[in-house]
Amino acid sequence: MSLPEAPSFSLAGKRALVTGSSRGIGLALAAALGHSGASVVLNGRSAPALQEAESLLTGQGIDVTGQAFDVTDEAATKAAGQAVGPIDILINNAGIHRRSPLADMSLDDWNTVLNTNLTSAFLVARTFVPAMIERRAGKIINICSLMSDLARPTTGNYAAAKGGLRMLTRAMCGEWAQYNIQVNGIGPGYIATELTAPLRENPEFDGWIKTRTPAGRWGEVEDLTGAAVFMASNASQFLNGQVLMIDGGLTAVV
Ligand code: NAP
Ligand code: GCO
């Protein structure tokens, strides 16, 4: 009987696109994939921000390029697919917040959040999955949220999008697992980035998060990188359609 050797988390020879990776969680995940051996394509709408991020990763010895495009723009995403070419790993990370009570929310705030946080994952995956299907191999990681399962006032558009992203992850699994494509999600808790800066600057909210989160702290982008490398590697070939909450225990307790 032969026993398995140690699993490999190496991404050597792989090519990864991380949407929304000019800063925050996306940039951290791109760096982690790069340090694990992947060549990385960064993305964001702002070319200057992308160039800055690219220089940062290049300085760390990572093989990196940047592809500026708006992930909500179908034509731009299609053009990016032509420019980037085939990839092995896609992380659908781009996302925004437009916080507002639902009763006062503008249709623009609703549509912009749903388009950026949900529809874009469909558009970008639809662009890059044909080459994964052809090669019978691929990894797609959707950056969900604890708000895929929980909401709070003023986040109705965001929670609806992230709840939809949990189901889109399952739907992608249902259609693409047969081609040896693994589609999973990561559900970060409250992480210290630009997206949550207004909340961290609010002493009452900051104190509530530190009490509500069993770990007693905000998450850091580094807290998410291990799961991303695992899901992007050959160590996760039989994991599919799952969302892993990385939230310091917040969704585990009342
Ligand atoms: P962030 O610091 O604001 O970064 C967002 C990134 O997305 C930026 O690179 C931004 O660049 C890019 N982006 C925004 N709209 C885009 C578009 N239409 N096309 C292409 N790129 C776009 O946010 P973050 O906290 O890192 O969040 C990243 C992801 O994690 C989001 O999906 C968010 O919902 C999710 N998440 C965050 C937390 C948290 O607590 N921070 C928790 C759970 C889930 P440009 O503005 O230059 O385009
Ligand atoms: C908020 C926060 C959350 C976090 C994150 C939690 O307004 O409550 O911004 O939405 O960003 O998604 O996982």
Side-chain angles (χ1 to χ4, degrees):
M1 170 190 163
S2 66
L3 292 172
E5 296 177 6
S8 168
F9 298 100
S10 168
L11 303 180
K14 303 294 184 186
R15 195 155 179 262
L17 165 66
V18 183
T19 67
S21 49
S22 61
R23 62 175 186 263
I25 290 170
L27 180 54
L29 299 185
L33 298 187
H35 285 305
S36 301
S39 61
V40 177
V41 182
L42 301 179
N43 161 258
R45 292 163 299 179
S46 158
L50 216 44
Q51 280 153 11
E52 201 175 314
E54 221 179 300
S55 305
L56 201 60
L57 294 196
T58 302
Q60 293 186 3
I62 292 171
D63 176 6
V64 57
T65 57
Q67 191 69 37
F69 67 98
D70 180 341
V71 294
T72 68
D73 181 329
E74 185 177 23
T77 300
K78 192 174 178 185
Q82 296 297 320
V84 171
I87 57 172
D88 304 286
I89 302 157
L90 168 62
I91 298 187
N92 283 310
N93 168 78
I96 60 169
H97 237 306
R98 297 266 186 92
R99 299 177 185 86
S100 156
L102 284 170
D104 308 331
M105 188 177 288
S106 71
L107 184 57
D108 178 59
D109 280 351
W110 173 267
N111 284 336
T112 304
V113 169
L114 268 291
N115 285 335
T116 308
N117 295 15
L118 177 57
T119 305
S120 71
F122 156 68
L123 287 177
V124 179
R126 187 185 64 174
T127 298
F128 288 96
V129 80
M132 292 180 177
I133 291 173
E134 193 176 321
R135 288 186 293 182
R136 295 294 190 275
K139 297 282 188 178
I140 298 175
I141 302 167
N142 295 320
I143 304 302
C144 299
S145 165
L146 64 74
M147 291 203 155
S148 294
D149 294 347
L150 301 175
R152 72 177 187 88
T154 75
T155 67
N157 47 1
Y158 185 98
K162 293 299 187 179
L165 196 54
R166 171 189 279 283
M167 287 312 299
L168 181 59
T169 299
R170 290 172 172 161
M172 289 175 174
C173 162
E175 295 197 17
W176 298 336
Q178 63 186 305
Y179 303 112
N180 186 34
I181 297 168
Q182 291 80 45
V183 186
N184 291 290
I186 291 172
Y190 281 84
I191 310 294
T193 69
E194 200 170 295
L195 187 84
T196 53
L199 307 175
R200 285 179 286 116
E201 288 151 16
N202 175 326
E204 190 185 340
F205 196 99
D206 178 59
W208 174 71
I209 284 296
K210 288 170 179 169
T211 306
R212 179 68 179 79
T213 305
R217 65 174 175 90
W218 287 79
E220 298 298 335
V221 291
E222 294 79 15
D223 291 322
L224 306 172
T225 57
V229 170
F230 163 60
M231 289 181 177
S233 76
N234 287 339
S236 58
Q237 293 301 92
F238 205 53
L239 182 77
N240 226 321
Q242 304 305 310
V243 174
L244 178 62
M245 292 296 177
I246 303 180
D247 61 6
L250 193 155
T251 52
V253 299
V254 292

